Amino acid sequence: MSLLTILASVLVFGFVIFFHELGHFFTAKKSGIQVNEFSIGMGPALWKKVHKGTQYSVRLLPIGGFVSMEGEDGEEDAEPREGEAPAPPVPPQQKTGLPFGEVAIWKRMVVIAAGAVMNLILGYLVMLVLIGGDDAITSKTICEFSPNALCQQTGLAEGDTILAVNGRHCFVANDILYELQRSKNYTADFTVRRDGKVVELPGVQFDTVQQNGQTVMQVGFKVYTVKKTVWNVLREAGSWVVYYMRLVFMSLADVVTGHVSVNELSGPVGIVSVIGQAVRMGADQLLNLLALLTVNLGIFNLLPFPALDGGRLVLLGVEAVIRRPVPQKVEIAINALGMACLLGLIAFATFNDILRLLPGF
């Protein structure tokens, strides 16, 4: 593993986590919650400073970060157990906000969801940079076919704007390729706009070729590019974020339904390996990967699973319905079980990553 890969991985992970925690931090401050610490990195503190009731710190290990809010994990945060020495990063007289549990439920829900929202915003900003730097935007309108292309003979025509493939709306041109890769028997159903009308084209067939002993589908057509305008860039960046969001959901669904084996899951080691490949391919590929990773983190964190932000939102929703907090012991047990499952999944995925790196596997 090269030094450049390590540095790129630290920057990518650090950037994604920083934006996530910044969402929690900003909304907590605006909601009047006491934020005890905002930290970049984990482990021993290399630098720290208290400002306006919050300790800001940079820590040794560049593998994460956190926002520590007063009373976030229960009332015992503010009251240490008997025999424990309290060590608040901020002196009590300097605290300016309320404990987490003392603000309105809707505000707490906003704070919890804000981390994932910031990840999606980061993905949008990264795509703005990428698309703004391109010469043109790829459309979904067919401009020409390969000679004797089977897809033209079985339904598609020049000038067709592809709206959906196999019933799934295409937000960007990459959606077309992704759906065709998932098609069976090298056949797909298309919905296109032709001469101002929406036309259904069932059973469009595609040519195939043999490559390295495998049958590979030939797309057989090219699409127009679109001149860049401010509106087109803004819209295309949003479409790419939606594309990545759906990609995450579909990938999760593929694992749950068995369409993709759990052995294909990747952990931190696999992600670092992919980052290394992106570094070698150039800045554009690295930024594309950054956008995918930050959207992935945002969506994954909103899943209604214990120990994730989505699980905490569920507990807050229960609190809103029953009009009292979920018992602390129950919440701790649920989160502990969820964390154990997540750590087990990460360990399993990391084990798979290591096996892939070993010769013969």
Side-chain angles (χ1 to χ4, degrees), residues 209-216:
V209 295
Q210 294 295 318
Q211 291 183 359
N212 300 322
Q214 294 184 335
T215 303
V216 179

Side-chain angles (χ1 to χ4, degrees), residues 277-297:
Q277 296 174 24
V279 168
R280 291 190 292 272
M281 295 174 69
D284 282 2
Q285 288 300 320
L286 184 61
L287 287 175
N288 257 308
L289 182 58
L290 171 59
L292 176 58
L293 286 176
T294 189
V295 171
N296 195 320
L297 178 63

Side-chain angles (χ1 to χ4, degrees), residues 242-323:
V242 175
Y243 164 70
Y244 281 142
M245 289 172 64
R246 186 168 67 175
L247 193 64
V248 173
F249 279 118
M250 292 181 67
S251 299
L252 289 171
D254 283 345
V255 173
V256 172
T257 59
H259 187 76
V260 173
S261 170
V262 292
N263 292 325
E264 298 297 317
L265 291 174
S266 283
V269 174
I271 295 174
V272 170
S273 177
V274 173
I275 290 174
Q277 296 174 24
V279 168
R280 291 190 292 272
M281 295 174 69
D284 282 2
Q285 288 300 320
L286 184 61
L287 287 175
N288 257 308
L289 182 58
L290 171 59
L292 176 58
L293 286 176
T294 189
V295 171
N296 195 320
L297 178 63
I299 296 300
F300 186 77
N301 255 283
L302 288 178
L303 294 178
F305 190 82
L308 297 177
D309 289 342
R312 299 178 67 189
L313 287 173
V314 170
L315 292 176
L316 287 173
V318 172
E319 180 180 338
V321 172
I322 66 176
R323 298 183 180 279

Side-chain angles (χ1 to χ4, degrees), residues 125-141:
L125 294 176
V126 171
M127 292 313 303
L128 276 180
V129 171
L130 278 171
I131 296 167
D134 289 338
D135 295 330
I137 296 172
T138 304
S139 77
K140 296 173 291 179
T141 302

